[in-house]
Amino acid sequence: MIEIPAVSSAYDAAWEEHGHLRAAVEHVRGWVAARGLPGARCDVVQLDGRAPLLLVDVPATPGAAAGGTVLLYGHLDKQPPLGDWSEGLGPWQAVIRDDRLYGRGAADDGYSGYAATTALEAVRGAGGEHARAVVLLETGEESGSPDLPAYLEHLADRLGEVSLVVCLDGGGGDYERLWLTSSLRGAVQATVTVRVLETGVHSGLGSGIVPSSFRIMRRLLDRVEDPETGEVKLPEMVVPIPEERRAEAAQLVALHPEVAVPRFPLLPGMRRASGDDVELVLNNTWRPTLSVTGAGGLPDPAVAGAVLRAWTSFRLSFRLPPSADAEAARAALETILTTDVPYGAQVEVGDYMVMNGWHVPAAAPWLASALRQVGEDVFGKPCQSLGIGGGIPFMEMLGRRYPQAQFVVTGALGADSNAHVPDEWLHIPFAVQVTEAVAHLLDAHARAGGHPPQN
């Protein structure tokens, strides 16, 4: 699977012609089919012009109580190689060193289909029970899952009434316990271009007469972000932080300070945004932030001439709180950047990527009990919940479609697994434990009948 360069469609305009996404789906389909799960049906589904997905439908065991469908989610598309990998490693080369499996997609999250299938096998092998289970592996997650709404609509009748969702695209801060994702941020990305001239002019002749497009861009950004604190000013991007999430952040900092706030490689003398770790956790999980992730119209300093440039373009990436309305945030952003523009400059805002966040519902008694048991029996330590600064579009879509379902967002991705960057690796023993934990949860769900939480 690692050897297939299944780069997500956002990074490969000719993805359909190259056929790598389809090859990844077919490869995993063949593996699952060969496992011989009783009654399992493995289908490759592809709508016109959309990236394919794999749907594995496994009937319930005979002794399972009626309780709806379990949906196990993962994705098979990958990030680009990105940079130089260490000696002996490469993005499309599977290498095992000690307990690590190296290669692009190893931890994010090519293991998911294998883990889900193996967990179902393990339940049966141990004499346990599982409800009807559907393994859904898409190939567009790294592109923001643009095709998933169409597939969910197309497959709605086949999915049936989902009562438990297990997402294997998560992870945590260490390899000692099961980490549960309690929230995911949404996002609004947009490209903003400020134009002041038809063509650039000599800066000695034009400066002071023609306002700089960069200065106008600065003023526009000051409308949406406080330049001193980084606080995002748009009301549509701000929500009240739930008290249980504040308590969770405080607990995470108290019990796992090394996990709560990763120690990024800051330069000497560089300070973090706050000296309070709890506030840093909340900044990263429940407060909106802005990052400028790209720029255009700016030549390399080594070749920059004395030119008053005609335009400046920035790629803006807003991370939104889990419960913010991403479309309302997008509309507000466009309005504030294009209304009453300084000096009458032309402003274009487009190339949007809009994604809602997600907030986990309360755990039903059977699930809370099963998670406690998994912590004791599989890991020897209690499970730990935490919010994640990133997003998984699929979770918000499913949360809307199945409001009564229980959710377990977990996975084998560690804080140092190098997802999206060179030398990505999967911790094999931890992936085994996560798989075992999923098997226990499947059995607990089947025996409980998948009952929703009681009010």
Side-chain angles (χ1 to χ4, degrees), residues 60-70 120 123 128-132 163-164 366 370 438-451:
T61 55
T69 297
V70 180
L120 290 166
V123 171
E129 307 289 349
H130 67 73
R132 173 182 177 248
S163 58
L164 173 63
W366 73 263
V438 171
H440 281 279
L441 296 178
L442 291 172
D443 182 68
H445 168 264
R447 297 181 188 282
H451 296 302

Side-chain angles (χ1 to χ4, degrees), residues 105-120:
D108 185 20
D109 75 344
Y111 72 89
S112 57
Y114 302 98
T117 304
T118 302
L120 290 166

Side-chain angles (χ1 to χ4, degrees), residues 231-241 286-288 320-321 323-325 329:
E231 179 182 352
V232 174
K233 298 178 179 180
L234 286 177
E236 292 81 359
M237 295 189 179
V238 180
V239 304
I241 302 175
W286 276 90
R287 294 190 180 112
L320 305 180
S323 56
D325 184 330

Side-chain angles (χ1 to χ4, degrees), residues 12 19 109 160 167 180 196-197 228 238 249 274 298 318 320 389 405 415 435 444:
D12 181 7
D109 75 344
C167 173
L180 304 169
V196 297
L197 292 164
E228 295 294 328
V238 180
S274 170
L298 298 165
F318 289 89
L320 305 180
T435 304

Side-chain angles (χ1 to χ4, degrees), residues 171-357:
D174 60 29
Y175 305 105
E176 298 179 5
R177 73 205 80 234
L178 189 70
W179 291 88
L180 304 169
T181 300
S182 60
S183 64
L184 296 157
R185 285 197 290 184
V188 171
Q189 295 181 11
T191 299
V192 182
T193 302
V194 176
R195 301 184 186 276
V196 297
L197 292 164
E198 293 183 358
T199 61
V201 299
H202 190 299
S203 61
L205 299 177
S207 60
I209 298 175
V210 179
S212 160
S213 62
F214 190 90
R215 179 163 66 88
I216 295 172
M217 179 72 81
R218 279 201 339 243
R219 289 184 60 183
L220 292 176
L221 292 184
D222 286 352
R223 294 179 176 183
V224 299
E225 181 195 44
D226 186 318
E228 295 294 328
T229 65
E231 179 182 352
V232 174
K233 298 178 179 180
L234 286 177
E236 292 81 359
M237 295 189 179
V238 180
V239 304
I241 302 175
E243 286 303 317
E244 64 267 28
R245 299 285 78 91
R246 289 183 179 274
E248 178 184 270
Q251 181 191 56
L252 186 66
V253 168
L255 298 179
H256 310 286
E258 73 290 347
V259 173
V261 182
R263 296 312 189 240
F264 296 114
L266 297 176
L267 292 173
M270 177 67 189
R271 299 188 302 276
R272 299 181 300 178
S274 170
D276 185 327
D277 280 3
V278 174
E279 291 304 305
L280 291 176
V281 171
L282 295 174
N283 285 349
N284 186 244
T285 56
W286 276 90
R287 294 190 180 112
T289 58
L290 168 62
S291 300
V292 177
T293 59
L298 298 165
D300 188 279
V303 295
V307 176
L308 179 65
R309 296 174 300 100
W311 57 280
T312 299
S313 184
F314 279 1
R315 182 65 174 170
L316 307 184
S317 178
F318 289 89
R319 292 291 177 170
L320 305 180
S323 56
D325 184 330
E327 177 53 33
R330 183 210 64 77
L333 175 68
E334 181 171 325
T335 298
I336 200 168
L337 293 178
T338 57
T339 301
D340 193 22
V341 176
Y343 303 103
Q346 293 183 7
V347 176
E348 303 163 7
V349 188
D351 192 20
Y352 288 109
M353 194 283 284
V354 179
M355 177 178 70
N356 280 317

Side-chain angles (χ1 to χ4, degrees), residues 48-193:
D48 287 346
R50 300 186 185 277
L53 61 76
L54 178 62
L55 196 71
V56 181
D57 193 333
V58 183
T61 55
T69 297
V70 180
L71 185 59
L72 299 115
Y73 167 84
H75 66 88
L76 304 178
D77 59 316
K78 308 176 185 183
Q79 286 279 321
L82 189 66
D84 297 326
W85 290 51
S86 298
E87 184 177 355
L89 303 177
W92 319 127
Q93 176 185 0
V95 175
I96 293 179
R97 291 180 179 173
D98 298 322
D99 289 331
R100 299 182 176 189
L101 170 62
Y102 288 89
R104 176 62 81 227
D108 185 20
D109 75 344
Y111 72 89
S112 57
Y114 302 98
T117 304
T118 302
L120 290 166
E121 288 184 289
V123 171
R124 290 173 174 267
E129 307 289 349
H130 67 73
R132 173 182 177 248
V134 174
V135 182
L136 189 153
L137 305 173
E138 66 158 318
T139 59
E141 193 276 339
E142 300 294 0
S143 301
S145 297
D147 299 330
L148 208 50
Y151 278 117
L152 288 178
E153 190 65 31
H154 177 70
L155 297 169
D157 290 342
R158 291 187 60 180
L159 293 178
E161 188 58 39
V162 174
S163 58
L164 173 63
V165 176
V166 179
C167 173
L168 289 169
D169 191 26
D174 60 29
Y175 305 105
E176 298 179 5
R177 73 205 80 234
L178 189 70
W179 291 88
L180 304 169
T181 300
S182 60
S183 64
L184 296 157
R185 285 197 290 184
V188 171
Q189 295 181 11
T191 299
V192 182
T193 302

